[in-house]
Amino acid sequence: MRERSEHGPMVKRHPQRLPQGLAVAAAILLTGCSTTPGAAGDDFTADGRSTVAQLTSRFESLSANHDWLEETVYVYPGADDLGIRAWRTKHRGEALWILAGIHGEEPAGPNAIAASLASVAQLAASGVPVVLIPLCNPKAYRSNWRYPNTADRDWRKGGYSVGDAEYLLPDLEHGTQPRAAAPPGPDTRALTEYVLRLAKVYPPRLVLDLHEDELSTEGGYIYSQGGDATGNPVGAEVIRLLQESGIPIRRSGRTRFDEPIVDGVISRNDKGLPIRDGSIDELLASTEVFVDGARVPGPAARTVIVVETPAFAGSRFDLRVAAQGTVVQNVGGLWRLSAQPR
Ligand SMILES: [Zn+2]
């Protein structure tokens, strides 16, 4: 789900843009959710999600049984078992990137990857370079928080995203300086710097970032970013797969940020411009980034698809995992589609 710093500098600057009724409903929903932190080691599993340890052991099967390398991107101080881990194929080159679990209260993506890992391994075994960061925010996931630093899901209360890349991205006015002075947290810095570093040796051709939207009761949808944001055949196929899985899809209308939805796909903001939300997705799509104050070429992914399944209260976790799983199981077809000339 999108929010302030990854979705809307506009919302950040003009919070009154949020429809009042929706903002109030959101505040009630967000504060009314079960966010009891629990002691360290107490995993939230009430919605049916696997624990961090269960997911990690599943992902580790890649490095144990296949031609994969495992790396620790970040370890939380005082919690050795809580690290951001990444897996990548030994073979490098133009790559498929799969990210999930940026927001801890959106568990379907990480669980779907764990359940359908064989499809990713199979594609990798066929020679396709892959970068997989399947649980980007394990600290929040463990407690069903959204952000790593607070139980509060309202970004205005100080929560930050592990994927906030504004300090690396050009400002929205002139593009002559970074949009933010610094990353909001050490985990954010570690993750975004890792992504930039890996993108040089695994240039992203196709990025899939699995999210959920707990405010969307009307259905799922996707964001499409990158050089081929509009009319992208991968986006159309992801929507078809989600629909086939049985979850409802929002095919038209506008998001809460007033972005137009076209056949389930959002590729433009409320002003008709490309989506520039400050997220790790924008980072992977960006043709220019700032590193140590200097403007340098960015990862420039052609296709970045952010999948959003509807995760409102009462929605069925198994159906959301199945929907995301359908996308993961079809990474081979999506990869081939991402090569098609426009
Ligand atoms: Zn999200």
Side-chain angles (χ1 to χ4, degrees):
M1 187 176 82
R2 307 233 155 191
E3 78 243 306
R4 163 207 79 92
S5 104
E6 358 168 38
H7 288 265
M10 234 100 60
V11 175
K12 179 161 53 180
R13 268 185 260 130
H14 307 287
Q16 72 275 16
R17 290 178 65 89
L18 270 178
Q20 197 54 40
L22 184 55
V24 171
I28 292 166
L29 178 64
L30 299 183
T31 52
C33 279
S34 168
T35 51
T36 311
D42 285 349
D43 282 67
F44 175 91
T45 54
D47 57 5
R49 74 180 68 183
S50 297
T51 64
V52 170
Q54 287 168 334
L55 288 178
T56 304
S57 112
R58 184 82 189 104
F59 301 140
E60 277 173 346
S61 70
L62 283 176
S63 25
N65 303 326
H66 301 281
D67 199 19
W68 291 73
L69 301 167
E70 178 182 344
E71 282 172 310
T72 298
V73 178
Y74 183 78
V75 174
Y76 285 90
D80 292 349
D81 58 332
L82 265 193
I84 303 174
R85 312 275 198 83
W87 286 263
R88 59 188 169 94
T89 54
K90 286 178 181 164
H91 45 286
R92 302 171 170 206
E94 195 176 54
L96 166 70
W97 286 59
I98 305 176
L99 312 178
I102 289 277
H103 297 127
E105 92 287 29
E106 303 172 7
N111 284 264
I113 294 170
S116 301
L117 200 58
S119 302
V120 181
Q122 195 178 7
L123 183 66
S126 77
V128 175
V130 180
V131 176
L132 175 65
I133 316 177
L135 188 57
C136 291
N137 187 0
K139 190 156 180 274
Y141 177 93
R142 168 169 283 179
S143 300
N144 194 32
W145 293 0
R146 180 171 182 78
Y147 303 115
N149 61 327
T150 171
D152 207 310
R153 292 190 192 171
D154 184 344
W155 61 266
R156 287 161 292 200
K157 307 277 177 62
Y160 66 79
S161 171
V162 294
D164 185 340
E166 288 195 315
Y167 77 105
L168 298 168
L169 291 164
D171 74 274
L172 296 169
E173 278 22 272
H174 305 292
T176 52
Q177 56 185 351
R179 211 173 296 169
D187 38 8
T188 306
R189 177 188 288 281
L191 179 61
T192 50
E193 284 184 350
Y194 178 82
V195 161
L196 264 196
R197 183 161 61 80
L198 262 278
K200 287 182 185 149
V201 274
Y202 297 81
R205 179 170 109 193
L206 171 60
V207 178
L208 300 172
D209 184 6
L210 309 182
H211 282 250
E212 299 203 83
D213 186 344
E214 67 182 4
L215 297 181
S216 176
T217 53
E218 297 164 72
Y221 54 90
I222 65 171
Y223 282 92
S224 176
Q225 293 166 261
D228 296 328
T230 303
N232 190 305
V234 180
E237 177 63 4
V238 169
I239 287 294
R240 195 190 67 76
L241 290 167
L242 290 173
Q243 205 149 27
E244 197 178 68
S245 79
I247 63 158
I249 293 294
R250 285 191 72 183
R251 295 204 69 92
S252 59
R254 300 181 90 90
T255 68
R256 74 182 72 92
F257 302 108
D258 207 27
E259 301 148 332
I261 306 172
V262 179
D263 294 330
V265 182
I266 300 149
S267 62
R268 298 272 152 180
N269 70 12
D270 59 332
K271 297 194 170 65
L273 299 169
I275 304 285
R276 296 180 69 191
D277 53 17
S279 69
I280 205 162
D281 311 304
E282 184 188 339
L283 179 66
L284 281 157
S286 191
T287 53
E288 279 190 330
V289 296
F290 278 89
V291 176
D292 298 329
R295 197 153 48 166
V296 298
R302 286 174 61 189
T303 302
V304 179
I305 302 292
V306 177
V307 179
E308 301 268 6
T309 47
F312 55 90
S315 62
R316 279 180 50 189
F317 177 69
D318 58 336
L319 296 183
R320 286 148 44 200
V321 174
Q324 302 256 8
T326 309
V327 175
V328 177
Q329 287 150 28
N330 285 279
V331 281
L334 296 174
W335 173 256
R336 285 187 288 280
L337 275 178
S338 72
Q340 283 186 1
R342 305 293 116 79

